[in-house]
Amino acid sequence: MGGVTGFARGVIRAQVGHGFAELVGDPDRPRGWTLLVDGTAQSHVDLDDPEHLEFEYVRRLAHVVDLMAPPLRPLRAMHLGGGAWTLPRYVAATRPGSAQQVVELDGELVDLVRSRLPADDPGLEVVVGDARAVLATARPAAADLVVLDVFAGARTPAHVTSVEFLELADAALAAGGVYAANVADGGALEFARGQVAAARAVFAHVAVVVAADVLHGRRFGNLVLVASQDPLPEAELARRAAADPFRATVLDDAETARFTRRAKPPHDREARPSPVPPLGVFGR
């Protein structure tokens, strides 16, 4: 880690390997922190309550986790993109004994999170490396859940957006396993439509959890893509998403087919990173 450069009024600042990180104290939660990298909000954690999920897209990912198996049953999870390990902490709290691997490219960011926001869970392994490269080395059928939440700055890199990448995720999943991804887009949602098309090219069942204003192009935001070779619990996922403070809808298999608008699934040769968010979005 490049060293903590400041601490004042609940803010910790540090130069890390791939940018400038800030941990900003939550005024409403004594041990709550928001992680920003180069001004983009990456994670929020509450060390006293790992089941508290501040970001709407993380809450939706947690709904997916909750519906994967009966309560308290451990899961084998692979989290591509670390941030402050919000979802892994949630899984550890709600499903003790889960075996989880977090993959984060920035080793100095990992050191910052370990030192300032420690997670005392023996089942949580943090690996420093490129998400796709580590996924390619995963044992076949070794995971129940693969989550993609990778950002370089405010954009998802192209090499984790292709059909070939999704084929690696599928190979890592056990029978009944689920792939879930945080997809950031706005406007006509061309990037998101391509990501759904890529998922439909690999998985038998695909759903999307999305707020109405994002779906209809009124704001830039997060869509949660969920895919599996087995049927997904779309109806229950829709009920939970509709009951959230920030309500969302769920597009089922038939609706995701229409959502793609004949978008072509991107392969490695034509894959592109996610679009740059407008200024002011995600804390920028």
Side-chain angles (χ1 to χ4, degrees), residues 53-61 211 219 222 244 246:
L53 304 174
E54 192 81 10
F55 291 179
E56 59 189 65
Y57 86 87
V58 180
R59 186 185 298 270
R60 292 164 191 162
L61 287 170
R219 73 172 172 95
N222 302 95
D244 278 341
F246 298 97

Side-chain angles (χ1 to χ4, degrees), residues 4 15 19 31 38 53 66 80 117 130 141 148 157 164 173 175 178 181 191 204-205 220 222 236 240 252 254 259 265:
V4 174
Q15 185 69 43
R31 299 184 71 209
D38 289 338
L53 304 174
D66 292 341
L80 304 176
L117 308 176
D130 175 78
L148 176 70
E164 289 83 357
L173 287 169
V178 172
F191 174 75
H205 301 277
F220 194 101
N222 302 95
E236 181 57 31
R240 296 188 182 212
D252 61 19
F259 175 78

Side-chain angles (χ1 to χ4, degrees), residues 98-180:
S98 292
Q100 300 191 82
Q101 184 181 72
V102 176
V103 182
E104 170 57 54
L105 182 62
D106 192 329
E108 293 183 353
L109 179 60
V110 169
D111 290 342
L112 176 66
V113 173
R114 274 198 178 118
S115 63
R116 298 290 177 166
L117 308 176
D120 298 324
D121 176 30
L124 182 61
E125 174 194 15
V126 181
V127 175
V128 176
D130 175 78
R132 179 161 173 170
V134 175
L135 178 62
T137 67
R139 290 185 294 109
D144 303 307
L145 173 67
V146 173
V147 178
L148 176 70
D149 193 12
V150 171
F151 284 85
R155 306 179 75 183
T156 301
H159 71 300
V160 295
T161 68
S162 66
V163 169
E164 289 83 357
F165 169 78
L166 287 168
E167 289 172 341
L168 292 174
D170 182 39
L173 287 169
V178 172
Y179 170 79

